[in-house]
Amino acid sequence: LPGVLRMESASVAERPFGQTEIASVVDVYFQDEAAMHAAMASASGKQLARVLMAHPRTAPDMIVCHVAEHGR
């Protein structure tokens, strides 16, 4: 996707509060929300949406978050 600054993926290692259907998480970082929307409107963003939605039962949940950086 155009405009991606960073991408991280993680698989679920533990479920301390019981069962969950979540097996993995992918975080994709953009400069801002406008850049994310532009990426999703691009040809590759539309292709990604088609691939992800090809199987509605296994399609991922997508959420948009605003990241707050805190001291490390």
Side-chain angles (χ1 to χ4, degrees):
L1 291 174
V4 172
L5 299 177
R6 182 172 94 222
M7 188 167 79
E8 301 172 345
S9 63
S11 58
V12 174
E14 294 184 38
R15 294 171 174 86
F17 298 111
Q19 293 296 339
T20 178
E21 294 182 19
I22 299 170
S24 60
V25 177
V26 177
D27 294 326
V28 183
Y29 295 84
F30 296 91
Q31 182 65 38
D32 52 31
E33 199 168 339
M36 179 201 64
H37 287 294
M40 296 309 292
S42 71
S44 56
K46 291 176 183 176
Q47 176 62 26
L48 175 61
R50 281 191 293 275
V51 168
L52 292 176
M53 298 310 292
H55 305 283
R57 286 188 47 192
T58 58
D61 289 329
M62 293 182 68
I63 59 173
V64 176
C65 300
H66 295 269
V67 176
E69 301 264 342
H70 301 281
R72 295 181 182 184

